[in-house]
Amino acid sequence: MPLPSTDTQPRSGLTILFTETKLLDPENTGFIAVENFTSLVEHHELQLDPSKLDMLLALVQSNDEGQVCYQELIELMSSKRSSSFRRAIANGRRTLQREILLDETGLGLYKRFVRYVAYEILPCETDRRWYFHQNRLCPPPVFIAIVTIVQIIVFMCYGIMLNKWVLQTYQPDFMKSPLVYHPGHRAQVWRFFSYMFMHVGLEQLGFNALLQLMIGVPLEMVHGILRISLLYMAGVLAGSLTVSITDMRAPVVGGSGGVYALCSAHLANVVMNWAGMRCPYKLLRMILALVCMSSEVGRAVWLRFSPPLPSSGPQPSFMAHLSGAVVGISMGLLILRSYEESLQKQCSWWVIVFSFITFLLFAIFWNIFAYELLGVQIPPPP
């Protein structure tokens, strides 16, 4: 395998490493003997991030064939999600040659926050160091922030328009919004998503916004906007579709499906990696989170079956909470456990995607045919 030319590059640590590596592979085979590469990494003065040095040692220790692939080395040094990194994770032989991340001193406010996020989300010290040294505020974690801001703005607009800030759902004009999911308007496909911007009242909005920001923003900082937005929107869609199947007469409002997908995924990840998590007071925080989530579900059940107004008023369903939790435990847990790994190359990921698509197709056919076949009396749409 031809090696990249370094004649025009500055003599950085990476250039020096590639130059030295070329001497260890004079025939351009594309492979380097493990013992030679180990000696190079451990004794050469390289001006590289500590996390990259840790990964170089991990790459060597995880190799059972006595050779290091040059292409995998390039991918690792360029911060790509490479097979070498995944192999090091799978074999579990990565070791740290330095003190733990918590011992680092002289950090600015932002770097201290990044370190807090690393210990809050990631269970492995090497992953935490890798994230800490690779973190860049570009792109910023904007998805959760934008969703929360839009939810607050929509709530305030309807609060001002209706002059009602508690249990807005029981204001007749509230249900006329084009954002609310109502079984009588299920042909308007956007409502299966847009209902997440509407909320029953101030209590539900405050609960969802608080959890989204406290859990969603750190998750998005670590795992990226694509994965977290996918998880959140999958929870939202699963919530409305589940209601259309199990509670066919009920409308849906609130972002609880997406919120519970995030929360359940994070809590499940903490439980699965309990020994490695170093977030403070993790047991107390988990208990408080479970109590808050359970109380929110209980409140939603009460509003559904024992509403404070006559039964002629709309009672939004609570099934979105439960379906969001199922999405989080299944899809979300895999996403959070696959830090810096490609989901597309994991068989379990495709099993989950296939299961979700199957559910989606079933729900579509159900919404097209089941209401008429079962003779369900849908409340007249507002």
Side-chain angles (χ1 to χ4, degrees):
M1 180 182 297
L3 301 177
S5 173
T6 58
D7 296 338
T8 60
Q9 298 178 359
R11 299 290 291 177
S12 63
L14 183 58
T15 303
I16 294 174
L17 178 62
F18 285 161
T19 302
E20 296 288 342
T21 304
K22 183 177 181 179
L23 299 178
L24 300 178
D25 182 25
E27 298 180 359
N28 289 342
T29 63
F31 293 92
I32 307 154
V34 166
E35 59 272 14
N36 295 335
F37 186 67
T38 302
S39 176
L40 172 65
V41 172
E42 292 181 345
H43 297 97
H44 205 295
E45 294 295 332
L46 299 175
Q47 300 299 318
L48 299 174
D49 287 341
S51 57
K52 288 189 176 181
L53 288 177
D54 293 333
M55 291 298 99
L56 287 175
L57 294 174
L59 173 61
V60 174
Q61 295 165 0
S62 64
N63 192 285
D64 296 326
E65 300 175 357
Q67 293 179 320
V68 175
C69 177
Y70 186 78
Q71 183 60 39
E72 290 184 349
L73 170 63
I74 294 177
E75 292 178 352
L76 181 60
M77 297 308 298
S78 60
S79 301
K80 292 183 179 180
R81 293 179 176 178
S82 61
S83 57
S84 59
F85 188 88
R86 292 193 297 275
R87 185 189 305 114
I89 291 176
N91 291 345
R93 301 178 191 166
R94 293 177 299 168
T95 59
L96 287 173
Q97 307 297 321
R98 297 161 189 81
E99 297 178 346
I100 63 175
L101 189 58
L102 282 176
D103 294 333
E104 298 219 12
T105 59
L107 301 177
L109 180 61
Y110 174 71
K111 270 300 185 180
R112 289 201 299 269
F113 176 68
V114 171
R115 181 174 62 181
Y116 163 79
V117 169
Y119 276 90
E120 180 75 15
I121 303 300
L122 296 171
C124 176
E125 183 67 22
T126 304
D127 286 344
R128 290 191 281 257
R129 294 187 66 88
W130 179 260
Y131 166 72
F132 178 81
H133 290 287
Q134 293 297 321
N135 176 263
R136 302 290 184 270
L137 197 59
C138 184
V142 296
F143 174 76
I144 295 296
I146 291 176
V147 168
T148 304
I149 292 173
V150 173
Q151 290 173 340
I152 294 174
I153 292 176
V154 170
F155 180 84
M156 293 181 64
C157 290
Y158 277 93
I160 295 173
M161 182 177 64
L162 304 176
N163 194 25
K164 190 175 183 66
W165 301 92
V166 180
L167 294 179
Q168 289 184 353
T169 307
Y170 295 97
Q171 166 60 251
D173 291 337
F174 180 87
M175 298 303 296
K176 295 180 180 180
S177 170
L179 302 178
V180 173
Y181 168 80
H182 190 282
H185 291 307
R186 64 186 185 281
Q188 300 174 357
V189 179
W190 72 84
R191 291 177 180 260
F192 286 90
F193 294 94
S194 62
Y195 77 93
M196 71 179 186
F197 298 115
M198 308 291 288
H199 285 83
V200 171
L202 187 61
E203 179 185 357
Q204 186 191 31
L205 173 66
F207 176 84
N208 286 347
L210 181 63
L211 283 182
Q212 284 177 179
L213 295 175
M214 290 183 60
I215 296 180
V217 170
L219 287 177
E220 187 177 347
M221 288 179 63
V222 173
H223 296 282
I225 184 173
L226 181 60
R227 294 190 179 198
I228 298 305
S229 61
L230 173 63
L231 176 59
Y232 188 92
M233 297 307 296
V236 169
L237 180 59
S240 56
L241 291 177
T242 301
V243 171
S244 69
I245 295 173
T246 61
D247 200 358
M248 301 170 67
R249 293 171 50 85
V252 190
V253 293
S256 298
V259 172
Y260 273 64
L262 295 177
C263 293
S264 60
H266 178 57
L267 294 180
N269 189 44
V270 172
V271 172
M272 293 291 292
N273 301 279
W274 186 262
M277 301 301 293
R278 292 293 181 266
C279 47
Y281 310 109
K282 57 185 176 182
L283 180 59
L284 176 61
R285 296 166 65 185
M286 174 168 289
I287 293 175
L288 290 177
L290 291 175
V291 169
C292 291
M293 294 172 66
S294 300
S295 63
E296 170 64 13
V297 173
R299 184 194 66 84
V301 172
W302 172 70
L303 289 177
R304 177 67 180 91
F305 296 107
S306 300
L309 292 183
S311 58
S312 58
Q315 293 88 42
S317 177
F318 59 90
M319 291 301 297
H321 300 71
L322 304 182
S323 58
V326 172
V327 169
I329 294 175
S330 57
M331 179 185 297
L333 181 58
L334 178 61
I335 290 177
L336 301 193
R337 293 181 64 186
S338 300
Y339 172 69
E340 283 295 324
E341 294 182 76
S342 176
L343 293 173
Q344 292 84 349
K345 296 184 179 180
Q346 300 185 50
C347 179
S348 54
W349 169 250
W350 292 110
V351 170
I352 292 175
V353 170
F354 176 78
S355 301
F356 189 84
I357 293 176
T358 302
F359 166 73
L360 177 62
L361 295 176
F362 171 79
I364 292 174
F365 280 98
W366 181 276
N367 278 273
I368 295 175
F369 302 108
Y371 281 78
E372 183 177 353
L373 292 176
L374 298 176
V376 178
Q377 297 295 324
I378 303 175

